[in-house]
Amino acid sequence: MASLKEIKGRIGSVGGTLKITSAMKMVASAKLHKAQGAIESMLPYDRQLHKIMVSLLSGDTKVTTPLCQPHDKVKRVAIVAIASNSSLCGGYNSNVVRNTTAVLKEYGKEIGEAIDCYVIGRKLDQSLGKLKGFNHIKDYVEKGDNPTFATAQDLATRLMKDYIDGKIDRVELVYMHFKNTASQIPTREVFLPVPLQKGSDETSTSGYIIEPTPTEVLNELIPDALCMKIYTVMLDAQAAEHAARTVAMQTATDNANELLDELKIQYNKGRQAAITAELLDIVGGSLQ
């Protein structure tokens, strides 16, 4: 059995850890609230922009654009994978790493090493750095913590140019989607060619006058929408990260509280046993 001094030392150590995890939980919760506000403000605009594009491609208007046209054969693929720069967020990073690795292996079987992987987040960069069989692009590794529209625009413009020039034939996004604080969903989406399937709630442009022309409007609209899509995904992934860290730190705090209670009980039992032994020694000495 551990001595009272050792138990007291463990109580102090666990108490210090408890303060740290509790503080980190509050910080993560505050960041999550801010990230939620950002993504909730962005989603209505992103959805309406998508609705307008679908409307332009439906009905009687015959509109085509290079960004919507699939290439005849997929010879080279670009993957944009988003994780975090720091740890202590539960299984968030490991889920992204696992999903990204699965996508890389899937395409590796089809097209070999003709894969460009744009990595966002240091933890993902460290994990994928051990793998081979693809082009590891690190230009945006540090951009995960504070997503900006300028970063999203730069990345989206680069991907669109490569797609139009025929340097890549398909682009996919891999990230964690924020559903709620307790649930983050591993997500894989096609970014290019633009998937514009018409939904049941979408309206047609038939009967509307579009100026200058639907094609010109769409050619201006799609690049903006794609830049917005990258920015929305980055905000979504950031909210998922803060949610995962909030839950992880709450769990760590609860575990520390339970361990602290157990150690205090153990310490009190040891202290009572020591007092009882001393009393028995005193009584035994007096009887002699």
Side-chain angles (χ1 to χ4, degrees):
M1 182 177 176
S3 66
L4 291 177
K5 186 177 181 181
E6 290 174 343
I7 296 173
K8 193 171 184 179
R10 288 189 65 191
I11 289 174
S13 176
V14 173
T17 303
L18 175 63
K19 291 179 182 178
I20 293 172
T21 56
S22 180
M24 290 184 68
K25 183 250 179 182
M26 288 189 289
V27 171
S29 181
K31 289 183 176 180
L32 172 60
H33 181 72
K34 183 178 179 181
Q36 270 186 284
I39 191 66
E40 287 172 0
S41 298
M42 188 61 62
L43 281 176
Y45 179 79
D46 182 63
R47 288 168 181 163
Q48 186 63 29
L49 202 58
H50 180 82
K51 183 177 179 180
I52 293 171
M53 288 193 300
V54 171
S55 298
L56 287 171
L57 292 174
S58 64
D60 299 329
T61 57
K62 304 298 182 181
V63 181
T64 59
T65 173
L67 294 172
C68 293
Q69 298 300 316
H71 292 179
D72 295 334
K73 188 175 180 181
V74 177
K75 299 178 180 178
R76 190 170 194 88
V77 172
I79 307 296
V80 180
I82 306 174
S84 71
N85 286 342
S86 55
S87 54
L88 297 177
C89 47
Y92 175 83
N93 288 313
S94 60
N95 282 330
V96 177
V97 171
R98 182 167 56 252
N99 293 330
T100 304
T101 303
V103 174
L104 291 173
K105 287 182 178 179
E106 179 185 322
Y107 278 114
K109 293 177 182 178
E110 298 177 5
I111 57 176
E113 298 186 3
I115 305 170
D116 295 332
C117 187
Y118 291 81
V119 179
I120 300 176
R122 282 196 298 267
K123 291 300 175 182
L124 182 60
D125 178 53
Q126 292 168 4
S127 298
L128 295 184
K130 305 171 186 177
L131 303 179
K132 295 180 180 180
F134 61 96
N135 182 25
H136 193 154
I137 301 175
K138 302 186 177 186
D139 297 352
Y140 304 93
V141 168
E142 301 291 336
K143 304 298 183 180
D145 277 350
N146 296 300
T148 63
F149 183 76
T151 299
Q153 187 177 41
D154 181 67
L155 176 56
T157 302
R158 182 172 175 178
L159 293 170
M160 287 186 284
K161 184 178 185 303
D162 287 348
Y163 186 82
I164 292 172
D165 293 343
K167 294 180 180 179
I168 53 176
D169 304 299
R170 188 180 179 89
V171 182
E172 290 197 18
L173 308 175
V174 179
Y175 64 100
M176 295 294 286
H177 167 61
F178 172 76
K179 183 178 181 181
N180 53 53
T181 304
S183 178
Q184 299 84 47
I185 304 172
T187 304
R188 175 184 176 183
E189 291 183 5
V190 175
F191 182 68
L192 288 172
V194 180
L196 291 175
Q197 296 85 6
K198 183 182 177 184
S200 59
D201 60 337
E202 304 290 357
T203 57
S204 171
T205 56
S206 179
Y208 289 88
I209 298 174
I210 302 173
E211 293 184 352
T213 65
T215 301
E216 290 178 286
V217 171
L218 200 62
N219 285 335
E220 290 291 330
L221 193 63
I222 283 183
D224 289 343
L226 290 175
C227 292
M228 189 61 63
K229 176 63 178 177
I230 292 284
Y231 184 47
T232 303
V233 165
M234 291 176 72
L235 290 176
D236 196 3
Q238 186 185 48
E241 175 196 345
H242 293 320
R245 183 171 288 108
T246 300
V247 173
M249 290 301 100
Q250 180 62 58
T251 302
T253 300
D254 293 341
N255 291 338
N257 276 318
E258 290 178 9
L259 183 57
L260 203 57
D261 290 340
E262 292 175 4
L263 288 171
K264 286 179 179 179
I265 291 172
Q266 189 178 349
Y267 179 79
N268 290 334
K269 285 182 178 179
R271 191 167 171 230
Q272 289 171 359
I275 293 171
T276 302
E278 290 177 4
L279 288 173
L280 289 174
D281 288 341
I282 293 171
V283 172
S286 65
L287 292 175
Q288 292 177 2

